[in-house]
Amino acid sequence: RVEGRRVDPVSGEVYNVKFGPPSDPAVAARLVIRTDDTRDKMVQRLAVYHDNVESIVEFYGSRARSVDASRHPEQVFDAIRCVLEGELYWGCVISREWSVRAYECSPAGDLGSSDLATLTRYIEHL
């Protein structure tokens, strides 16, 4: 994704030419690539991460938590909030009490939380 990242020098908005391109052709025409958004720079950043992650986890000890970030973004967000907020976050209670979430019921992974039909299917599933 980093290779597709572009910045609008006028507004400062960040886009991805593959996953979230601007809808305005004029904005698309003026997008620029940051100097550090290259494959070589990303490889360097990953190497630094891998060189240091173990010592960071060791430093934070039992306070360090692991979250599976390969899942749907909503699931990752919920997992992070559960770690940070614990029982104060409603998502922790729902995921513990029920094994299904809105994004698991919606068609093709579309969250559709504002879609009444999807929300109805989710409630009926519970």
Side-chain angles (χ1 to χ4, degrees):
R1 286 187 281 183
V2 77
E3 289 180 305
R5 186 166 44 191
R6 303 290 187 273
V7 178
D8 178 0
V10 175
S11 69
E13 290 290 319
V14 178
Y15 297 93
N16 187 292
V17 293
K18 183 175 181 181
F19 301 109
S23 55
D24 184 350
V27 173
R30 68 178 181 239
L31 294 180
V32 295
I33 301 172
R34 293 178 2 181
T35 57
D36 61 338
D37 281 349
T38 64
R39 182 176 297 270
D40 290 338
K41 295 288 185 178
M42 189 66 223
V43 168
Q44 289 173 356
R45 287 195 295 259
L46 280 172
V48 169
Y49 167 80
H50 288 294
D51 288 345
N52 293 292
V53 70
E54 196 171 307
S55 62
I56 292 169
V57 170
E58 183 180 314
F59 174 80
Y60 285 101
S62 65
R63 292 176 289 188
R65 299 289 185 271
S66 179
V67 173
D68 179 4
S70 66
R71 300 176 295 169
H72 188 281
E74 276 290 312
Q75 291 172 307
V76 174
F77 178 78
D78 281 347
I80 292 170
R81 287 205 49 191
C82 283
V83 166
L84 295 175
E85 299 176 28
E87 294 296 319
L88 297 176
Y89 177 53
W90 65 269
C92 288
V93 175
I94 288 175
S95 63
R96 186 182 64 247
E97 299 293 328
W98 300 303
S99 61
V100 69
R101 300 294 297 263
Y103 44 75
E104 294 171 340
C105 292
S106 60
D110 175 23
L111 289 179
S113 59
S114 61
D115 177 11
L116 185 57
T118 301
L119 187 56
T120 303
R121 283 195 307 274
Y122 173 60
I123 293 170
E124 287 172 351
H125 183 77
L126 295 177

